[in-house]
Amino acid sequence: MLWPLADRLGSVRDIVEALDRDRQQGRFDRLFVVAPPAFMGVLREHWPAPLRDRIVAEVTEDLLPLPEKNLQSRLAEIVAATRNESDSPR
C-alpha cells in the first residue's frame, strides 16, 4: 500500500536528511538503498548530489514482507553482488 503523497514526502525528507547528516558525519562511505519501486522513485528525486555519490547500489524491491532471517540473507546477497560487480574487470 502506498502512503498518501504528503506522508510519503515527509518520510522521504526525514530519511534523506538523516542519511545526509550521517554522510556529513562520516558514518558511512557507501550506501546500499533498497526500497519498493514507487518509493525508490521518490527517493531518487530528493537525493542531494553528495549523498547520491555515495550510493553504490539501488535495489527496487519490497523486502518488508520478508521474515528477519530471509531479510538478512537477501541483504547479504545484495552486498555480495555489488562487491562482485566492482571486482569484475570492465
Side-chain angles (χ1 to χ4, degrees):
M1 175 175 137
L2 294 176
W3 305 289
L5 184 58
D7 291 344
R8 184 171 36 176
L9 290 176
S11 297
V12 168
R13 284 189 200 105
D14 292 343
I15 291 167
V16 169
E17 287 173 7
L19 288 171
D20 200 41
R21 185 173 47 252
D22 286 351
R23 177 199 59 80
Q24 291 171 14
Q25 294 172 355
R27 292 189 173 174
F28 61 85
D29 296 330
R30 302 174 307 147
L31 182 61
F32 297 81
V33 182
V34 181
F39 197 70
M40 182 70 79
V42 176
L43 284 170
R44 286 179 182 139
E45 293 174 7
H46 290 83
W47 295 135
L51 183 59
R52 187 174 38 248
D53 292 344
R54 298 284 176 96
I55 297 173
V56 295
E58 288 185 350
V59 178
T60 53
E61 187 175 336
D62 186 358
L63 300 182
L64 288 176
L66 293 179
E68 185 177 348
K69 182 178 179 181
N70 298 71
L71 176 62
Q72 291 173 353
S73 297
R74 181 65 186 118
L75 292 173
E77 290 170 3
I78 291 167
V79 171
T82 303
R83 283 189 186 139
N84 291 339
E85 288 175 11
S86 66
D87 293 340
S88 300
R90 294 179 193 241

